[in-house]
């Protein structure tokens, strides 16, 4: 439910759009210590209660592309595994260095911690 992200997610502050393969979302991230950014990724895979994967890009294809996925796996004894991935393809990697690594990585950690807290609420 992307409309609910703003209520619990400290990294993805806004998300809207139809959750179906091929549709475009509007996402605003707010990395801690970084600059907020809005982008419009396309949903690649949607499997209800199992997987959500989108592909986003900045300006032109190949300049700065990212594939983001969330996967939920059922495990034994009523446990669940959550897998959260982001894969970047950046043309100008040497120019960016680690400028994004800190805030983006921390944003993902904050989001995962907030999701864990929400999932474990009674």
């Amino acid at each position: 439910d992307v409309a609910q992200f703003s209520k619990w997610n400290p990294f993805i502050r806004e998300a809207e759009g139809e959750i179906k393969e091929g549709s475009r979302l509007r996402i605003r991230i707010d990395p801690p210590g970084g600059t907020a950014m809005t982008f419009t990724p396309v949903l690649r895979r949607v499997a209800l209660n199992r997987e959500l994967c989108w592909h986003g890009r900045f300006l032109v294809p190949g300049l700065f592309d990212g594939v983001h996925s969330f996967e939920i796996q059922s495990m034994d004894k009523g446990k669940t595994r959550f897998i959260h991935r982001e894969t970047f393809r950046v043309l100008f990697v040497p120019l960016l260095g680690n400028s994004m690594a800190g805030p983006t990585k921390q944003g993902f950690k904050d989001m995962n911690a907030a999701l864990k807290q929400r999932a474990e609420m009674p």
Side-chain angles (χ1 to χ4, degrees), residues 9-11 20 23 26 38 40 43 46 48 56 62 65 70 75-76 80 83 92-93 98 102 108:
N9 195 324
F11 184 54
K20 76 174 195 178
S23 70
R26 184 181 167 281
T38 299
T40 55
L43 285 170
V46 176
L48 185 62
D65 291 7
F70 305 93
M75 300 175 64
D76 292 337
T80 302
I83 301 168
F92 298 111
V93 172
N98 286 329
F108 289 150

Side-chain angles (χ1 to χ4, degrees), residues 16-26 40-47 51-57:
E16 57 186 45
E18 185 178 4
I19 303 300
K20 76 174 195 178
E21 289 181 15
S23 70
R24 189 171 293 278
L25 299 178
R26 184 181 167 281
T40 55
V42 174
L43 285 170
R44 282 186 159 181
R45 289 185 307 277
V46 176
E51 183 181 22
L52 182 66
C53 176
W54 66 61
H55 177 219
R57 59 176 38 127

Side-chain angles (χ1 to χ4, degrees), residues 71-113:
E71 186 179 348
I72 298 170
Q73 297 176 346
S74 295
M75 300 175 64
D76 292 337
K77 300 179 184 174
K79 293 186 177 187
T80 302
R81 174 181 288 145
F82 173 66
I83 301 168
H84 178 193
R85 292 185 182 105
E86 178 83 37
T87 305
F88 292 111
R89 187 177 73 196
V90 182
L91 184 62
F92 298 111
V93 172
L95 297 177
L96 291 175
N98 286 329
S99 64
M100 285 189 47
T104 300
K105 187 174 183 177
Q106 187 59 51
F108 289 150
K109 286 180 178 181
D110 293 348
M111 177 174 64
N112 291 343

